[in-house]
Amino acid sequence: MSPAPDASRLPAALDGLRVAVEGTRFPLETPNAAAARSGRGELLNQLRDYIIPRANSLDAPLLAVVGGSTGAGKSTLVNSIVGETVTTPGVLRPTTRASTLIHNPADERWFTGNRILPELARLTGESAGAHDPNTLRLVSSASVPAGLALLDAPDIDSVVSANRDLARQLLSAADLWIFVTTATRYADAVPWELLQQAIKRGTSVAVVLDRVPMDAMEEVRADLAEMLARQGLGQSPVFAVAESKLSKSGMLPVSEVTRIRGWLGSLAADALARSIVIRRTLDGALDSLDSRARVLTEAVREQQTIAHELQEAPRTAYTSAQQAVQEGMQDGSLLRGEVLARWQEFVGTGELLRQLEAGVGRMRDRVVSALRGRGRAEPAENLGEALHTGVAALLVSHAETAAIKSARAWRATPGGARLVEQHRELATASPDFGARVERAVRDWQGDVMELVRQEAGSRRTTARFLAFGVNGIAVMLMLITFSATAGITGAEVGIAGGSAVLAQRLLEAIFGDQAVRTLSVKARKMLMERADALFSAEQQRYTQVLAEVVGDTSVPDRLTPALAAVKAAR
């Protein structure tokens, strides 16, 4: 047996561990999430219901929880041991009722408060709450020796899940588990699963084999003893109760419970023996904390790993979208179709393009003449609108692609599919994304016009500037912002690329070549900043969903030192 726990340090360390365990969460449906949630609940229950209160009060009465399979006769056994009807056997199955704790009147103070099983409301006598599984019915009886309390628990294999969960919780709160089974059901799987847990957690166990036919008594007892020995419970007391006729009050014959009653009585009367049972169970529970807390830590780290993968998926998708937009702004693709048609409308085509070799001055004169002949405002506006439409379509297209990629990656990641199902809007761009893009591009075009005004300065009254106006010069600057002929070859150079070259030569005639290069870089940077802001907001949708679900991911750093503090206090 381990050394005595430190009476001053251990309860505080255990409470710190409880807080750390309460902080663990497993919101993502990862491979180990379900098992971790179950383990967390069981560990919390045992810390609250048994380990912490027992560490705080080693001198409290020994709590023996009577548990077993459906119809095993637990309540009848408890009544027969006490010698009076203190708990009502369930006639109809499944029976949902409050658990009953029977104690000596001198020990009442240990159970009326919240020292153990704090989540169960206390009630006394028969009342409406007697059928509420969330209550604990307290019965005071002088037939129970001081220093011992009996708790009649629900069926461990009840078809009612609340009964099963409560039975497991009560068993985790026991100093001693009195496992009741029958001659026909002692090999059932569920009881042995719980017995295995008792072994792992060091819980002291006694076995009552009920309703054993006299002619099979030796054979059944021997078989059960062998099974117990194989599972490491060879030292556990085994009591056999012969199949008997119950008395009118529903009691077993006194002869059938004399040995059990005597054993419990001697345990209650012997402070040392009682202390040994209590300390053995407490030490076993404390010994189990390391492995159980480690499982939770590993499960939380699994959650962190998956959360990181879910975080990276949209980040990668939207980074790729931003790069694709930047490429689309430089590869000349925006200078085709409607934009090209509106550009030709703005400056004419064919002959003007061929004049590039004849000199910028002559080319400019022809452009100016053409513009004066048909007016400047409408062609400039049409070209600006075509550029606006092209840029907006580029942004919307890549935002939709990024959303599809992000949702696909989440569906392929453990825990992500459920999030996409719960937030189907993540599989596409935001409903208002198109409107936000429209505003962003309009604002950018306003930025470009302001750039032109600032750069023009005193030139705003010159014939060259007046020939095109702010709008005309601005749309030409937008045009060259979307050109980089490195990726355009053959006829495309002459069409899309050539249009941008013509616009660049015209602007150079007004501002000079260095100024035009600086202006185009600024214009492209301002547009990319707006595009990045749009995509960042879209990506933030995934980050926000993940943050709401996952929350704080620093729990493993709390569990580890909390567990170390418990070890040090022991």
Side-chain angles (χ1 to χ4, degrees):
M1 190 166 59
S2 301
D6 187 319
S8 61
R9 295 172 56 201
L10 185 57
L14 287 170
D15 199 58
L17 178 61
R18 175 192 59 79
V19 172
V21 173
E22 284 178 342
T24 60
R25 296 176 63 248
F26 310 96
L28 299 174
E29 294 300 330
T30 57
N32 296 314
R37 292 181 197 123
S38 176
R40 172 189 179 275
E42 291 177 0
L43 179 54
L44 267 181
N45 284 339
Q46 193 169 32
L47 283 167
R48 294 169 181 161
D49 298 341
Y50 177 70
I51 297 177
I52 293 175
R54 178 50 81 188
N56 273 305
S57 51
L58 290 170
D59 56 340
L62 183 149
L63 179 61
V65 176
V66 183
S69 304
T70 301
K74 301 183 298 298
S75 298
T76 299
L77 178 67
V78 170
N79 289 335
S80 301
I81 291 173
V82 177
E84 58 180 296
T85 302
V86 290
T87 180
T88 305
V91 178
L92 299 177
R93 301 291 173 179
T95 301
T96 301
R97 57 185 173 83
S99 300
T100 302
L101 190 151
I102 310 99
H103 59 82
N104 185 278
D107 293 331
E108 182 177 2
R109 65 187 178 91
W110 294 109
F111 304 108
T112 52
N114 291 330
R115 184 185 68 87
I116 62 168
L117 302 168
E119 295 179 355
L120 299 182
R122 270 49 172 178
L123 61 88
T124 57
E126 294 296 336
S127 66
H131 295 282
D132 184 354
N134 295 313
T135 60
L136 182 64
R137 179 170 165 264
L138 301 179
V139 176
S140 178
S141 173
S143 299
V144 177
L148 173 72
L150 297 175
L151 199 163
D152 181 19
D155 302 331
I156 59 176
D157 54 357
S158 171
V159 295
V160 178
S161 61
N163 284 351
R164 292 197 307 271
D165 293 342
L166 179 58
R168 290 171 182 265
Q169 181 179 352
L170 297 180
L171 291 173
S172 294
D175 293 305
L176 170 66
W177 178 20
I178 300 177
F179 168 49
V180 183
T181 186
T182 65
T184 57
R185 303 196 60 184
Y186 68 87
D188 287 358
V190 173
W192 285 97
E193 175 194 337
L194 290 179
L195 283 168
Q196 284 287 349
Q197 283 190 15
I199 295 167
K200 290 178 181 178
R201 298 175 189 177
T203 306
S204 298
V205 177
V207 180
V208 176
L209 188 60
D210 197 11
R211 299 174 187 163
V212 184
M214 287 301 298
D215 58 354
M217 180 69 74
E218 293 304 319
E219 180 183 353
V220 172
R221 284 193 60 170
D223 188 42
L224 176 59
E226 185 179 343
M227 292 178 68
L228 290 169
R230 286 200 301 267
Q231 298 299 326
L233 292 171
Q235 301 302 314
S236 297
V238 178
F239 303 94
V241 176
E243 192 169 28
S244 310
K245 183 178 180 180
L246 302 181
S247 68
K248 290 182 180 180
S249 58
M251 304 287 184
L252 290 165
V254 173
S255 60
E256 294 301 324
V257 295
T258 298
R259 287 185 62 239
I260 305 172
R261 186 184 291 170
W263 178 71
L264 290 173
S266 63
L267 193 59
D270 188 340
L272 177 60
R274 192 168 66 249
S275 174
I276 289 173
V277 172
I278 290 173
R279 294 289 294 278
R280 182 191 301 127
T281 300
L282 178 58
D283 282 346
L286 292 172
D287 289 342
S288 74
L289 293 179
D290 186 62
S291 60
R292 296 163 76 183
R294 192 183 311 118
V295 168
L296 295 187
T297 299
E298 291 172 356
V300 173
R301 285 177 178 153
E302 177 186 63
Q303 294 271 314
Q304 288 178 309
T305 299
I306 297 299
H308 178 71
E309 292 179 14
L310 292 172
Q311 185 77 49
E312 285 300 309
R315 181 180 291 123
T316 300
Y318 282 96
T319 298
S320 177
Q322 289 167 311
Q323 293 171 347
V325 167
Q326 187 154 9
E327 292 171 3
M329 291 179 183
Q330 294 177 305
D331 63 9
S333 59
L334 286 173
L335 306 182
R336 302 165 189 155
E338 181 70 12
V339 171
L340 180 60
R342 295 307 177 189
W343 169 248
Q344 291 171 347
E345 178 186 278
F346 182 61
V347 298
T349 187
E351 182 182 353
L352 279 173
L353 194 56
R354 288 192 294 273
Q355 295 300 320
L356 285 172
E357 298 300 328
V360 173
R362 187 180 304 171
M363 175 194 69
R364 186 190 66 251
D365 292 342
R366 286 181 174 273
V367 172
V368 172
S369 177
L371 290 174
R372 283 175 177 166
R374 65 177 183 277
R376 298 168 303 185
E378 184 177 349
E381 290 175 2
N382 291 342
L383 177 56
E385 191 62 33
L387 286 167
H388 174 279
T389 301
V391 174
L394 180 71
L395 292 171
V396 170
S397 172
H398 286 297
E400 289 288 356
T401 299
I404 292 171
K405 285 182 178 179
S406 298
R408 184 186 301 132
W410 275 27
R411 288 191 183 100
T413 304
R418 184 174 179 180
L419 295 181
V420 175
E421 183 64 26
Q422 293 173 338
H423 300 273
R424 297 188 179 184
E425 71 278 5
L426 295 179
T428 185
S430 299
D432 66 339
F433 185 73
R436 287 190 284 119
V437 166
E438 292 287 329
R439 288 195 300 271
V441 177
R442 292 287 184 207
D443 291 344
W444 171 72
Q445 288 181 314
D447 293 341
V448 174
M449 292 182 69
E450 185 59 30
L451 271 180
V452 169
R453 291 190 185 96
Q454 292 175 0
E455 183 65 28
S458 60
R459 301 188 188 94
R460 295 175 65 177
T461 58
T462 64
R464 291 178 179 179
F465 191 92
L466 292 173
F468 296 102
V470 173
N471 286 355
I473 293 173
V475 294
M476 285 192 288
L477 179 55
M478 294 175 203
L479 198 73
I480 67 171
T481 297
F482 303 129
S483 66
T485 58
I488 305 174
T489 59
E492 291 180 313
V493 173
I495 301 173
S499 300
V501 170
L502 178 56
Q504 184 168 336
R505 296 293 173 83
L506 290 170
L507 289 178
E508 287 174 353
I510 299 172
F511 298 119
D513 57 350
Q514 181 58 47
V516 170
R517 283 193 292 273
T518 300
L519 287 172
S520 64
V521 169
K522 286 183 179 179
R524 183 179 294 154
K525 181 181 178 183
M526 288 189 297
L527 181 54
M528 280 307 304
E529 286 175 351
R530 291 187 179 276
D532 291 349
L534 288 167
F535 286 155
S536 293
E538 288 294 281
Q539 181 189 326
Q540 187 62 29
R541 298 182 302 155
Y542 301 86
T543 302
Q544 183 175 348
V545 166
L546 204 54
E548 290 173 356
V549 172
V550 176
D552 186 4
T553 59
S554 64
V555 174
D557 295 331
R558 301 176 192 172
L559 273 174
T560 301
L563 191 60
V566 171
K567 289 181 179 179
R570 293 184 67 189

